[in-house]
């Protein structure tokens, strides 16, 4: 590992003891690729502090500048990745930009350059450019478009610092700034009471999560004398954790649960739909992953603790199961997408809880790109729904479902074996293979009309599973130096958890494919109503929120004072 401390940023990039020749600059950049990752957030911060009058007079220019900076940041991230990849020692590096990791008060802010930073920074830079371009036309003509772009630049800049943070202090500070910027974006339309109410509710959960992470950072600093992720990983590798580190592990899991909108704290994630569509895309395709990111950054500590990851997996499994069912009952497009995000985040935390950190990164990238497209194209769904539907399909019987699952299982596990992945080498395939089997069976049943499954759908299933397990193998190689590999041996208790996960996803598939395709029984209609309302769990949580922290909305026309539930 390469750790640079007690140097100014300019010294770290260019050096101090020799003239700035072209060769010396290239060598310095090769040694410190983390500096390249700071270009994007720095330029966006400069845009964020643009005087309001200028931004309001030239909103289109502001949007275009954010697009340009996003592309510049994407390019610099790719260049940093190439420099690191071609270096003789392609090891992650940490660049201290302020303070120091040593001393009685290790108050350092650092950026980390590794494969995870390069990947996430490239993703966020691309999203920033796309969202800024969409917002240029989406908000065209609005008087506050300039201020929107200032808030967007600030929020994206802060979140970029989150994904490249090299220590806990940097992460806590950056995610706090991200939350403040996001709150301004969520309340962009200040005359909308629902937007103000949900932003208030979301802010409370964010601050609870931030407080948990701050306490965890303090505990780690007290125990280790530093909050560096690198030092924390080295300590966790020794396996002897003190009580501060055990408590910090549980607080990090609590942060992930709150920030990811996991059941029963999911209400705010479903209700933040009064904000402009680009804000929904930014939240659901980027910022909401901060919980997963901090778990990846501290995964060595969580593995050393052990039990915290099991709790994370169980919470993720419960959320994924409930959200996948509730999503089917929603009539509003954005509500369905929000339940989908909650379910996918639950699935992602389930992967992290099982120690499948590499697969969680793959899931994060795929879901982020899909969700950004889904939100930014949600307006066209109205036209799609107006198209006359096709002829109703015949109900899926138990026999047909079982046959589809069996065929899917053969395809899935055979394709995994072709890539050298078997339950003997990766026991987690018991659960992951079952989940992929369920997904493939959905694809096969999509073409069911009472006749045999078509060859075309089988071929499509072979392609899908082949691509997935191919990416599974590629990502394992790319992140081998940053994230722990997929476990090759697990305990008996871990096998029980894998079997439970497989049973839950098979049950969900049966419910969605067989029961919902049959004539609606009275009990099924009652279940439908309960699921449509999210099992009513958000109502007591919302009442508690307003009792703990009563809301004031002074910017709303005609409304003054305190909102009472």
């Amino acid at each position: 590992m390469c750790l640079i401390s007690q140097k100014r940023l300019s010294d770290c990039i260019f050096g101090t003891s020799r003239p700035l020749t072209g060769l010396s600059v290239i060598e310095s950049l090769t040694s410190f690729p983390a500096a390249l990752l700071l270009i994007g957030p720095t330029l966006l911060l400069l845009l964020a502090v643009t005087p309001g009058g200028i931004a309001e007079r030239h909103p289109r220019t502001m949007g275009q500048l954010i697009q340009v900076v996003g592309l510049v940041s994407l390019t610099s991230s790719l260049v940093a990745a190439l420099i690191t990849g071609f270096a003789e020692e392609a090891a992650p590096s940490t660049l201290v930009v302020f303070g120091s990791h040593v001393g009685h008060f290790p108050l350092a802010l650092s950026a980390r350059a590794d494969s995870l930073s390069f990947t996430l920074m490239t993703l966020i830079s691309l999203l920033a450019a796309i969202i800024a371009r969409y917002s240029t036309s989406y908000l065209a003509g609005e008087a506050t478009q300039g201020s929107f772009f200032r808030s967007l630049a600030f929020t994206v800049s802060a979140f970029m610092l989150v994904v490249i943070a090299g220590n806990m202090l940097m992460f806590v500070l950056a995610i706090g700034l991200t939350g403040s910027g996001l709150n301004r974006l969520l309340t962009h339309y200040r005359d909308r009471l629902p937007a103000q109410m949900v932003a208030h509710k979301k802010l409370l959960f964010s601050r609870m999560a931030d407080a948990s992470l701050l306490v965890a950072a303090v505990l780690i600093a007290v125990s280790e004398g530093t909050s560096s992720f690198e030092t924390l990983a080295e300590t966790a590798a020794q396996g002897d954790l003190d009580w501060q580190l055990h408590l910090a592990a549980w607080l990090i899991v609590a942060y992930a649960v709150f920030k990811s909108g996991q059941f029963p704290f999911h209400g705010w994630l479903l209700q933040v739909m009064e904000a402009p569509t680009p804000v929904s895309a930014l939240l659901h395709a980027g910022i909401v992953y901060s919980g997963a990111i901090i778990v990846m950054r501290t995964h060595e500590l969580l593995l050393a603790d052990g039990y915290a990851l099991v709790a994370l997996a169980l919470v993720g499994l419960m959320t994924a199961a409930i959200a996948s069912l509730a999503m089917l009952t929603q009539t509003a497009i954005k509500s369905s997408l929000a339940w989908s995000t909650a379910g996918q985040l639950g699935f992602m935390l389930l992967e992290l809880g099982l120690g499948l950190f590499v697969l969680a990164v793959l899931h994060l990238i795929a879901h982020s790109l899909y969700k950004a497209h889904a939100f930014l194209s949600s307006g066209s769904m109205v036209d799609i729904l107006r198209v006359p539907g096709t002829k109703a399909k015949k109900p899926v019987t138990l026999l047909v479902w079982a046959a589809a699952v069996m065929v899917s299982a053969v395809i899935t596990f055979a394709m995994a074996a072709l890539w050298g992945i078997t339950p003997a080498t990766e026991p987690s395939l018991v659960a992951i293979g079952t989940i992929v089997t369920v997904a493939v069976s959905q694809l096969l049943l999509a073409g069911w009309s009472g006749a045999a499954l078509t060859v075309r759908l089988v071929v499509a299933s072979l392609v899908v599973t082949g691509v997935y397990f191919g990416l599974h193998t590629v990502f394992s190689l790319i992140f081998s130096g940053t994230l722990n590999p997929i476990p090759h041996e697990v305990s008996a208790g871990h096998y029980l958890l894998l079997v439970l996960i497989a049973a839950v996803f098979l049950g969900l598939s049966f419910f969605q494919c067989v029961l919902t395709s049959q004539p609606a029984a009275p009990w099924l209609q009652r279940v439908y109503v309960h699921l449509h309302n999210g099992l009513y769990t958000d109502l007591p949580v919302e009442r508690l929120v307003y009792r703990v922290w009563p809301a004031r909305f002074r910017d709303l026309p005609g409304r003054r004072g305190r909102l009472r539930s």
Side-chain angles (χ1 to χ4, degrees):
M1 299 292 178
C2 176
L3 183 64
I4 304 97
S5 62
Q6 295 179 338
K7 290 186 177 183
R8 295 179 180 177
L9 178 58
S10 59
D11 295 340
C12 290
I13 299 175
F14 300 113
T16 57
S17 59
R18 57 181 178 177
L20 291 179
T21 64
L23 181 60
S24 66
V25 171
I26 293 175
E27 291 175 351
S28 299
L29 288 175
T30 303
S31 302
F32 312 119
L36 289 174
L37 298 179
L38 292 170
I39 294 176
T42 301
L43 294 177
L44 284 173
L45 183 59
L46 293 176
L47 289 177
V49 298
T50 301
I54 297 177
E56 297 298 350
R57 287 195 300 270
H58 306 284
R60 187 175 184 85
T61 302
M62 288 288 294
Q64 292 171 341
L65 287 175
I66 294 177
Q67 296 175 51
V68 171
V69 173
L71 295 178
V72 169
S73 178
L74 186 151
T75 303
S76 63
S77 300
L78 293 177
V79 171
L82 290 175
I83 289 174
T84 302
F86 285 109
E88 293 183 1
E89 296 182 2
S93 62
T94 301
L95 174 62
V96 177
V97 296
F98 177 81
S100 172
H101 278 307
V102 297
H104 297 291
F105 300 98
L107 300 178
L109 300 178
S110 60
R112 184 168 177 79
D114 57 17
S115 54
L116 183 61
S117 297
F118 301 142
T119 302
L120 296 180
M121 194 64 170
T122 302
L123 176 65
I124 299 303
S125 300
L126 177 62
L127 288 176
I130 293 174
I131 291 173
R133 180 176 177 82
Y134 181 91
S135 303
T136 302
S137 57
Y138 180 86
L139 297 171
E142 294 195 13
T144 56
Q145 188 180 19
S147 64
F148 173 86
F149 280 125
R150 293 177 65 208
S151 298
L152 178 64
F154 178 82
T155 306
V156 174
S157 174
F159 191 63
M160 284 181 172
L161 294 177
V162 169
V163 303
I164 64 173
N167 60 10
M168 289 289 290
L169 180 60
M170 179 73 156
F171 194 101
V172 171
L173 178 61
I175 197 60
L177 295 175
T178 303
S180 298
L182 180 61
N183 190 66
R184 291 188 62 83
L185 290 173
L186 292 174
T187 57
H188 177 70
Y189 296 125
R190 295 189 175 276
D191 58 336
R192 296 183 181 180
L193 178 61
Q196 298 280 342
M197 294 175 63
V198 175
H200 174 84
K201 179 179 178 180
K202 189 265 178 192
L203 186 62
L204 176 62
F205 283 115
S206 291
R207 292 300 176 251
M208 290 172 58
D210 294 343
S212 299
L213 195 62
L214 178 60
V215 174
V218 171
L219 290 172
I220 292 172
V222 169
S223 174
E224 300 303 310
T226 177
S227 63
S228 168
F229 291 136
E230 181 180 353
T231 303
L232 181 62
E234 293 172 355
T235 300
Q238 300 174 4
D240 186 18
L241 305 182
D242 54 25
W243 70 269
Q244 291 101 327
L245 293 182
H246 280 292
L247 180 55
W250 282 91
L251 288 172
I252 290 171
V253 167
Y255 172 88
V257 170
F258 283 129
K259 281 288 187 177
S260 302
Q262 296 298 281
F263 190 86
F265 311 109
H266 60 287
W268 65 267
L269 185 60
L270 310 177
Q271 297 163 2
V272 287
M273 296 302 166
E274 287 292 327
T277 297
V279 180
S280 299
L282 178 63
L283 172 62
H284 288 258
I287 296 175
V288 79
Y289 300 127
S290 67
I293 293 172
I294 192 60
V295 171
M296 295 175 192
R297 288 298 188 193
T298 60
H299 70 280
E300 297 93 347
L301 171 64
L302 299 179
L303 284 171
D305 177 87
Y307 295 107
L309 279 181
V310 174
L312 186 66
L314 292 175
V315 172
L317 176 62
M318 178 176 61
T319 304
I322 295 174
S324 64
L325 294 176
M327 180 185 67
L328 300 177
T329 67
Q330 303 304 306
T331 54
I333 297 172
K334 278 193 171 183
S335 296
S336 178
L337 290 174
W339 274 108
S340 170
T341 298
Q344 292 293 334
L345 285 169
F347 185 20
M348 198 177 301
L349 295 188
L350 172 61
E351 292 170 322
L352 293 170
L354 293 175
L356 310 178
F357 306 108
V358 173
L359 297 187
V361 177
L362 173 60
H363 188 178
L364 188 155
I365 295 171
H367 182 254
S368 175
L369 296 174
Y370 159 73
K371 195 62 68 174
H373 174 268
F375 270 99
L376 297 181
S377 64
S378 59
S380 62
M381 285 298 296
V382 177
D383 296 329
I384 295 175
L385 294 174
R386 286 174 178 170
V387 177
T390 58
K391 184 179 178 181
K393 297 177 182 179
K394 293 182 179 181
V396 177
T397 63
L398 175 61
L399 182 61
V400 171
W401 173 79
V405 170
M406 291 179 62
V407 172
S408 301
V410 171
I411 293 173
T412 299
F413 286 91
M415 189 59 69
L418 288 177
W419 284 98
I421 304 171
T422 65
T425 58
E426 293 186 12
S428 60
L429 187 64
V430 173
I432 298 301
T434 302
I435 295 172
V436 176
T437 295
V438 167
V440 173
S441 67
Q442 297 274 19
L443 177 62
L444 296 178
L445 290 172
W448 173 254
S449 58
L453 299 176
T454 64
V455 175
R456 180 173 57 85
L457 289 175
V458 173
V459 171
S461 301
L462 288 170
V463 172
V464 169
T465 53
V467 170
Y468 173 78
F469 287 110
L471 290 174
H472 176 126
T473 304
V474 171
F475 271 60
S476 296
L477 294 174
I478 292 175
F479 294 95
S480 59
T482 303
L483 299 172
N484 277 30
I486 296 174
H488 297 294
E489 296 181 0
V490 296
S491 62
H494 198 91
Y495 267 114
L496 291 177
L497 180 58
L498 295 175
V499 171
L500 172 64
I501 294 168
V504 168
F505 276 88
L506 285 173
L508 289 173
S509 176
F510 176 78
F511 185 92
Q512 294 178 10
C513 296
V514 180
L515 294 183
T516 58
S517 69
Q518 306 297 328
W523 70 269
L524 192 57
Q525 294 178 355
R526 291 192 293 271
V527 170
Y528 180 95
V529 173
H530 297 325
L531 289 174
H532 179 77
N533 291 281
L535 302 181
Y536 311 99
T537 53
D538 185 53
L539 183 59
V541 173
E542 186 166 315
R543 288 177 175 173
L544 180 61
V545 166
Y546 287 111
R547 288 183 183 276
V548 172
W549 189 19
R552 297 179 183 275
F553 305 115
R554 299 202 177 275
D555 290 336
L556 293 177
R559 296 182 182 273
R560 293 293 183 270
R562 178 174 297 180
L563 175 69
R564 297 184 181 275
S565 59

